[in-house]
Amino acid sequence: MIELFREVQIPFLAVVLLVAGAAKAFPRGDGRLPVMGRNRGEAFTLTVAAAEVVLGTLLLTTPLLVVRLAGVVFFATATAVVADLVRRGSEEACGCFGRLGTTPVGRLGVIRAAVLTAAAVVSTGVPRTGAEVLGSAGGPSLALLAVSFAVFLALSPEVVAAVERIRHPVPCELRDVPLDATYAALRPSAAWREHAASLTSAEPTDVWRELCHRYLAYPAEVDGRPVEVVFAVPVDGGPAAVRAGVAWDPGWERQDDDSGPQRVHSPV
């Protein structure tokens, strides 16, 4: 039974890595990885995602010891990073699963990372690939694999936060939504793509919150004329719900209606 447990850790870790890599590859509109990649941009995010996908694939396809040791180093490093955040009392999210990881890591995140590190350590000497383990898996192996995933989910802050939100939903106007989550909805939206070419700055000049929307004003230029583009992003919506309005004159006033933010011309 112990040998079966060691074997199933290989496909278990491979799936965790592949899912984490995929979640980072298509996660946030601002292209940033919350913890390890904060302020380092999309290139860093995609590099980490690619490393996870490659390592997960190798765990499935090769029994090389160097691959298993790479897994140990990867998860041990992640454990050290998360533990340091908790030690410093940081409110940053883990970002381990891209946009899904928006809650502060906490002790639960440290325990999860440590469990993954332990799983990587105990599987280092297994002579079979993850694909071979899955291909010959019987009832006991599948049961152990299910237990591994159950423990992983129980230790995941993302799952705990999701269950809590379902049990105690908060009205959208009272919901505490990080600005990063607003960027995550804004940047992939059709409204952003429509106006992105005219923007003259990657950062908004003004950001404000009104009930269930967050508004972001960006300087822009249309037909050689300076304007502002204001995006209305629902705090609990996706990219499809983002709307935009254009201000053609510095003198403007906000109008709250169903069509999103509008600009009003001042007399010339």
Side-chain angles (χ1 to χ4, degrees), residues 168-259:
H168 305 288
V170 178
C172 63
E173 60 269 22
L174 300 178
R175 198 164 298 154
D176 184 15
V177 179
L179 184 57
D180 278 352
T182 299
Y183 285 124
L186 171 62
R187 300 291 172 82
S189 69
W192 176 267
R193 292 194 298 271
E194 179 183 354
H195 296 282
S198 64
L199 303 184
T200 57
S201 173
E203 299 297 329
T205 56
D206 193 10
V207 179
W208 69 96
R209 170 83 175 266
E210 294 180 10
L211 299 178
C212 295
H213 285 77
R214 180 173 277 139
Y215 297 90
L216 303 94
Y218 286 82
E221 186 174 297
V222 177
D223 296 329
R225 184 176 181 179
V227 299
E228 276 191 318
V229 178
V230 181
F231 297 94
V233 184
V235 296
D236 58 350
V242 177
R243 297 178 181 177
V246 178
W248 290 91
D249 196 296
W252 61 274
E253 59 187 49
R254 294 169 189 156
Q255 292 186 346
D256 296 325
D257 56 38
D258 292 339
S259 62

Side-chain angles (χ1 to χ4, degrees):
M1 186 63 69
I2 293 178
E3 189 61 29
L4 284 179
F5 176 78
R6 295 179 61 213
E7 287 184 348
V8 300
Q9 299 314 302
I10 301 173
F12 164 66
L13 293 175
V15 171
V16 170
L17 286 166
L18 291 172
V19 171
K24 290 187 184 73
F26 307 98
R28 310 160 61 104
D30 60 359
R32 289 182 292 175
L33 184 61
V35 170
M36 293 177 285
R38 196 170 189 85
N39 299 324
R40 297 189 184 183
E42 184 177 1
F44 186 90
T45 302
L46 295 179
T47 298
V48 174
E52 290 174 327
V53 170
V54 169
L55 184 55
T57 302
L58 289 175
L59 286 176
L60 289 175
T61 58
T62 177
L64 291 177
L65 179 60
V66 65
V67 173
R68 306 288 171 76
L69 293 178
V72 173
V73 172
F74 181 89
F75 287 114
T77 301
T79 303
V81 171
V82 174
D84 183 63
L85 286 174
V86 174
R87 180 184 60 80
R88 293 189 286 106
S90 173
E91 293 298 316
E92 290 186 79
C94 170
C96 304
F97 291 88
R99 189 176 175 181
L100 297 177
T102 58
T103 57
V105 287
R107 296 175 183 267
L108 205 60
V110 178
I111 296 173
R112 180 179 68 179
V115 168
L116 292 174
T117 302
V121 170
V122 301
S123 65
T124 52
V126 175
R128 307 172 68 197
T129 68
E132 290 173 342
V133 173
L134 289 176
S136 62
S141 296
L142 294 176
L144 289 173
L145 191 58
V147 169
S148 297
F149 280 113
V151 172
F152 173 78
L153 292 175
L155 293 175
S156 296
E158 299 87 352
V159 175
V160 174
V163 171
E164 188 63 22
R165 284 195 297 269
I166 293 173
R167 292 179 58 193
H168 305 288
V170 178
C172 63
E173 60 269 22
L174 300 178
R175 198 164 298 154
D176 184 15
V177 179
L179 184 57
D180 278 352
T182 299
Y183 285 124
L186 171 62
R187 300 291 172 82
S189 69
W192 176 267
R193 292 194 298 271
E194 179 183 354
H195 296 282
S198 64
L199 303 184
T200 57
S201 173
E203 299 297 329
T205 56
D206 193 10
V207 179
W208 69 96
R209 170 83 175 266
E210 294 180 10
L211 299 178
C212 295
H213 285 77
R214 180 173 277 139
Y215 297 90
L216 303 94
Y218 286 82
E221 186 174 297
V222 177
D223 296 329
R225 184 176 181 179
V227 299
E228 276 191 318
V229 178
V230 181
F231 297 94
V233 184
V235 296
D236 58 350
V242 177
R243 297 178 181 177
V246 178
W248 290 91
D249 196 296
W252 61 274
E253 59 187 49
R254 294 169 189 156
Q255 292 186 346
D256 296 325
D257 56 38
D258 292 339
S259 62
Q262 301 292 324
R263 299 295 194 179
V264 178
H265 290 284
S266 297
V268 179

